[in-house]
Amino acid sequence: MRGLFLHIGGDVSVLAKDVILILDLKSIGTGVASQEFLEISRDEGLITEIGPGEPKSVVLTTERVYLSPISSLTLGGRAKFLQNFAVPSSKAAKE
């Protein structure tokens, strides 16, 4: 996914190749390890909350953690589209 950007909310886009994972914020719930990760990330100044709206997903990249108002399902669909878009068809690869 070289050079393709994933829009994750507001005016924020990230390089698709830098996205490590996308999680539903509700699925993190009360998990001790997840809450500890978010707390440490916040303390280290690594979290960027994208507004407006209530955060629905966590986007972990190689550089930052984003809290996005866009659902993880929507972001996952966008990422999959970009992945499919970036992979050349077998016909084009042979030419």
Side-chain angles (χ1 to χ4, degrees), residues 73-86:
L73 185 62
T74 299
L75 292 174
R78 291 179 185 179
K80 184 171 181 136
F81 172 79
L82 290 176
Q83 185 178 26
N84 290 337
F85 182 77

Side-chain angles (χ1 to χ4, degrees), residues 53-69:
E54 193 70 26
K56 296 180 183 174
S57 61
V58 176
V59 180
L60 176 63
T61 69
T62 55
E63 300 291 324
R64 300 200 59 75
V65 178
Y66 296 92
L67 300 181
S68 172

